[in-house]
Amino acid sequence: MSNGEITISEQISLFRSLIQAKRFDDGTLRILESLLITRDIKSLLHVQRSLQHFMRHQSISVLRQLNALPVHRKLLILEFFVQAFAIISDLESCLALRYEAFVLRDVNSAVDVRLSVCYGEWIAFAEQAMDNRFYAIARKACEKALACFETNDILKTKDADALSEHMEAIRKVKKLKDLATVKASSQSVQAQTVEYLKRKITEHDEGSTLVVKKKQHSASFLFRNGIKKHNMRKLQELQRQPARA
């Protein structure tokens, strides 16, 4: 093992120990970034997969323990994992935890208005989710964006320009939501189609096996029956021949 490989191994070990020690800060993120610098593609993908598996497991464990913490601490931890998943190119986990953070802010905004998630944040998130084909998450974000307008007094304004601007924004969100719904439904149908085809292929293979076995059984039976008939004819011929002295 080369010194470079030992260094990488030590860095990974250090990063893991910091996560397990709950050191969710910029220093830990910098170490994570260093693990992915100047590496060949094969090694990079291997390190990414290893870190993705580890971080997913750790994030689930950490999220289960968040309830006892103050809201601001929960948000800092969620933001740490969002950035960590972005660094290791786990976009699904990144977006999922970003959504969790937005929901947490939204739920607690009644107590602290500074935590409110504005329309712009929701729609930007929805567009990002759409771009990465996470349609179900995008649809939920659109619903949250629309909810922002329901509590926005500007829709009651007599300012025609402001009202027109907001109505256009609502139209845009609804259009994006409809597209996300269709895409999510299409994704589901495609999954069902793939599963159906797999099942039919399996049934076909099993059916073919049965047919082959049946054919093999029939051929074997005919072969054995032919031998029996051949032997019977030989026996009858021998019986008809006169006995020799």
Side-chain angles (χ1 to χ4, degrees):
M1 183 178 291
S2 68
N3 291 333
E5 291 172 332
I6 292 173
T7 301
I8 293 168
S9 177
E10 289 175 346
Q11 286 179 320
I12 291 175
S13 179
L14 173 60
F15 174 75
R16 288 173 179 255
S17 66
L18 290 172
I19 294 296
Q20 290 167 344
K22 297 180 173 55
R23 286 281 303 276
F24 307 131
D25 55 32
D26 290 342
T28 303
L29 289 176
R30 284 195 293 271
I31 291 173
L32 178 60
E33 289 174 337
S34 71
L35 294 173
L36 305 173
I37 295 175
T38 61
R39 203 171 312 289
D40 63 89
I41 295 298
K42 185 176 180 180
S43 298
L44 176 63
L45 293 176
H46 175 73
V47 171
Q48 279 184 336
R49 284 193 294 267
S50 175
L51 290 171
Q52 286 170 1
H53 177 77
F54 171 74
M55 289 299 290
R56 286 181 180 183
H57 177 77
Q58 289 298 313
S59 65
I60 292 171
S61 176
V62 170
L63 288 175
R64 288 172 179 167
Q65 302 169 22
L66 286 183
N67 289 337
L69 299 176
V71 174
H72 74 278
R73 180 59 181 161
K74 293 179 184 177
L75 290 171
L76 286 174
I77 292 173
L78 284 170
E79 182 60 27
F80 171 86
F81 277 100
V82 166
Q83 292 186 46
F85 280 122
I87 290 170
I88 59 178
S89 300
D90 187 343
L91 292 179
E92 185 173 9
S93 297
C94 178
L95 290 171
L97 290 183
R98 174 69 75 192
Y99 180 77
E100 288 294 323
F102 279 172
V103 170
L104 180 61
R105 283 174 54 192
D106 194 46
V107 168
N108 288 275
S109 62
V111 178
D112 186 349
V113 70
R114 292 173 299 178
L115 296 176
S116 299
V117 185
C118 68
Y119 154 78
E121 289 177 293
W122 281 122
I123 193 62
F125 175 79
E127 290 172 342
Q128 187 180 17
M130 282 292 293
D131 289 343
N132 289 283
R133 300 183 180 181
F134 300 124
Y135 305 122
I137 294 177
R139 183 179 59 207
K140 290 180 180 179
C142 287
E143 291 171 357
K144 292 290 187 179
L146 290 172
C148 289
F149 289 104
E150 294 176 5
T151 58
N152 198 330
D153 291 337
I154 200 155
L155 291 180
K156 302 174 184 178
T157 184
K158 295 181 180 179
D159 185 330
D161 291 337
L163 185 60
S164 175
E165 182 181 338
H166 277 70
M167 292 305 295
E168 176 61 22
I170 290 174
R171 186 195 66 78
K172 176 184 176 182
V173 179
K174 287 183 175 179
K175 182 178 179 181
L176 187 62
K177 179 190 172 185
D178 290 343
L179 179 60
T181 301
V182 171
K183 292 285 188 179
S185 175
S186 174
Q187 218 174 32
S188 178
V189 169
Q190 288 172 0
Q192 292 174 12
T193 301
V194 169
E195 187 60 34
Y196 171 78
L197 290 174
K198 284 182 179 178
R199 187 170 67 250
K200 295 305 291 183
I201 289 170
T202 301
E203 289 174 357
H204 177 269
D205 289 344
E206 290 175 349
S208 298
T209 302
L210 289 173
V211 169
V212 169
K213 286 183 177 178
K214 186 174 181 180
K215 287 182 178 180
Q216 289 175 340
H217 175 76
S218 299
S220 179
F221 173 78
L222 291 173
F223 179 71
R224 289 196 302 271
N225 194 46
I227 291 176
K228 286 180 181 179
K229 289 181 178 180
H230 175 75
N231 291 339
M232 185 62 69
R233 285 197 299 270
K234 283 290 186 180
L235 179 60
Q236 290 173 347
E237 290 175 2
L238 290 172
Q239 288 174 342
R240 286 198 293 267
Q241 291 178 1
R244 294 182 179 179

